[in-house]
Every structure is written in C-alpha cells, then in structure tokens.
C-alpha cells in the first residue's frame, strides 16, 4: 500500500478509534439505520395491522443492529474527550448487542441475497448495495468487538434478544420478507438462521473470553 499504509495500520486501535474514523462510521451507520427503517416500512405497516403491536420491534433486524452500533460509537466518541472511558451496564449491553446483531444480520442478508439469486431471482443494483453495506456491518462488528466489554450478563441478554427474535420471526411469520423462491424453502431458511445465531453467539462469547483471559494473564 502507498505511503507505508499497511493492513496492520488499518485494523489498529489508533486508526479505528481515531476521531475521523469514528465520525465517518457514525454517519454511515446513522444514515444506514434511517434507510433501513424506510426499507422495512411496508412490512412495519403490515405487522402493525395484522400482528400484536409489540412485534413491530422485532421486524427491522438490520436497521436496529446499525442503530445499536451507532449508539456504541457515540460512547467511543465520548471517550475521546475523557481521560478514562465511561463504563456502565447499559453501555455493555449496547456494545454487545451491537456487535452480535450486526455480524449476524450482516451475514444473513448477504447469504439470503445470493440464495435468492441461486434460485433464479434477478440481481439488481440495490442487491449489490445491500451486499456491500451488510458485509460492512459484519466486518465492523469483528473489528470493534475487541474495543468493547463482552461480559457474561450482557452476552446473555444479547443471546435472549437474538434467539427470542428468531423464535418470534419463524413462529409468528414476521421474518424479513423474502423472494417467493426462498419462501418455498422457509424451513431451510429458519434452520440456517438459528444456526447462524448460535455461531455468532459462540464466536463473540469466545472473543470476550479470550480478551478477558489476555488481560488476566498480563497482570
């Protein structure tokens, strides 16, 4: 890479938590959240008219994930102005939900788009835009997980949210609307979703455990 810029630099704490990078990611996630809720608008209206009102909270998966990540970035931006980072149970919950859901739904959306294409659904430019943005969600979740505190209680609450969301999605049929060819294989979609949820939870549980172990070993 030019000017001595290496991959090590690009994934370093100093680069990823620099004010410029944090503000860039903040606005990307913020605007993506707004667009995501707009994308789900018709399904939100349908759910409001045909399902218990509380289920609306579980319909827009990806935008809610990016919303939590946006809130997590706000905490990092606040840390820049302080000598010591602010830690609280609420912050830990927001951070863990942010990385777990961003990774899960980022991967899920990309797989569903390609699965639809494999079943004959035409790919349009919006699909490529969604692939890029959702891959970005998954990547930023992995990169920033080491900056967040993944504690057992916050991990458990995130697990309840993710697994509870899966249960409601496929029991009460409020999962994200899919192309007809994928609707014909909904049992397979549900199985993949459950498996991805467990993989994601175990992955970030391991990341949190490894980070804590390294800290304990360095004392």
């Amino acid at each position: 890479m030019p000017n001595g810029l290496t991959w090590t630099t690009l994934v370093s704490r100093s680069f990823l938590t620099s004010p410029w990078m944090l503000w860039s990611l903040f606005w990307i996630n913020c605007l993506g959240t707004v667009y995501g809720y707009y994308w789900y608008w018709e399904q939100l209206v349908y759910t409001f008219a045909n399902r218990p009102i509380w289920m609306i909270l579980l319909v827009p998966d990806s935008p809610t994930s990016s919303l939590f990540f946006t809130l997590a970035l706000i905490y990092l931006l606040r840390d820049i102005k302080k000598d010591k980072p602010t830690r609280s149970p609420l912050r830990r919950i927001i951070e863990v939900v942010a990385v777990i859901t961003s990774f899960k739904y980022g991967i899920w959306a990309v797989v569903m788009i390609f699965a639809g294409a494999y079943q004959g659904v035409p790919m349009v430019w919006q699909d490529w835009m969604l692939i890029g943005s959702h891959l970005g969600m998954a990547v930023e979740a992995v990169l920033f997980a080491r900056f967040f505190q993944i504690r057992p209680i916050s991990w458990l609450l995130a697990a309840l949210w993710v697994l509870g969301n899966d249960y409601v999605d496929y029991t009460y049929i409020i999962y994200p609307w899919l192309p007809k060819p994928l609707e014909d294989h909904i049992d397979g979609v549900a199985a993949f979703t459950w498996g991805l949820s467990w993989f994601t939870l175990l992955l970030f549980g391991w990341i949190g455990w490894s980070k804590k172990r390294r800290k304990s070993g360095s004392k």
Side-chain angles (χ1 to χ4, degrees), residues 32-33 36-37 39-40 43-44 55-69 97-98 100-106 108-109 112 134 137 161-162 164-170 174-178 193 197:
T33 298
Y37 283 120
W39 181 273
Y40 273 94
Q43 187 173 356
L44 288 169
M55 289 187 182
I56 290 178
L57 297 174
L58 302 179
V59 170
D61 296 327
S62 294
T64 300
S65 302
S66 58
L67 173 62
F68 271 91
F69 207 94
V97 171
I100 287 176
T101 59
S102 292
F103 181 87
K104 177 201 168 178
Y105 293 117
W108 186 90
M112 289 302 109
H134 283 81
M137 289 173 58
W161 173 268
V162 169
N165 199 342
D166 288 349
Y167 174 79
V168 174
D169 274 359
Y170 295 96
I174 64 165
Y175 52 81
W177 286 347
L178 297 167
T193 303
S197 291

Side-chain angles (χ1 to χ4, degrees), residues 9-112:
T9 302
L10 292 175
V11 299
S12 66
R13 174 185 286 270
S14 59
F15 180 78
L16 292 175
T17 60
S18 62
W20 177 86
M21 177 57 69
L22 290 177
W23 276 114
S24 297
L25 290 175
F26 169 82
W27 286 112
I28 290 171
N29 280 274
C30 185
L31 294 174
T33 298
V34 174
Y35 178 78
Y37 283 120
Y38 169 77
W39 181 273
Y40 273 94
W41 180 250
E42 289 186 14
Q43 187 173 356
L44 288 169
V45 172
Y46 176 86
T47 304
F48 180 81
N50 296 277
R51 297 287 189 273
I53 191 170
W54 61 269
M55 289 187 182
I56 290 178
L57 297 174
L58 302 179
V59 170
D61 296 327
S62 294
T64 300
S65 302
S66 58
L67 173 62
F68 271 91
F69 207 94
T70 301
L71 296 175
L73 290 171
I74 291 175
Y75 279 112
L76 290 178
L77 286 165
R78 289 178 59 191
D79 289 346
I80 295 175
K81 300 180 180 180
K82 297 184 178 181
D83 295 331
K84 187 176 181 181
T86 302
R87 294 296 179 189
S88 68
L90 177 61
R91 176 174 183 172
R92 294 189 188 103
I93 293 170
I94 289 174
E95 290 177 341
V96 176
V97 171
V99 293
I100 287 176
T101 59
S102 292
F103 181 87
K104 177 201 168 178
Y105 293 117
I107 297 298
W108 186 90
V110 172
V111 171
M112 289 302 109

Side-chain angles (χ1 to χ4, degrees), residues 110-167:
V110 172
V111 171
M112 289 302 109
I113 291 171
F114 281 120
Y118 180 78
Q119 294 291 328
V121 179
M123 293 277 286
V124 295
W125 71 267
Q126 289 95 334
D127 292 319
W128 294 108
M129 179 269 292
L130 291 172
I131 287 171
S133 61
H134 283 81
L135 281 177
M137 289 173 58
V139 170
E140 69 180 3
V142 173
L143 291 176
F144 277 81
R146 59 196 164 114
F147 307 142
F148 298 154
Q149 289 190 328
I150 304 177
R151 298 292 178 81
I153 293 179
S154 54
W155 180 91
L156 178 59
L157 291 174
L160 291 174
W161 173 268
V162 169
L163 297 176
N165 199 342
D166 288 349
Y167 174 79

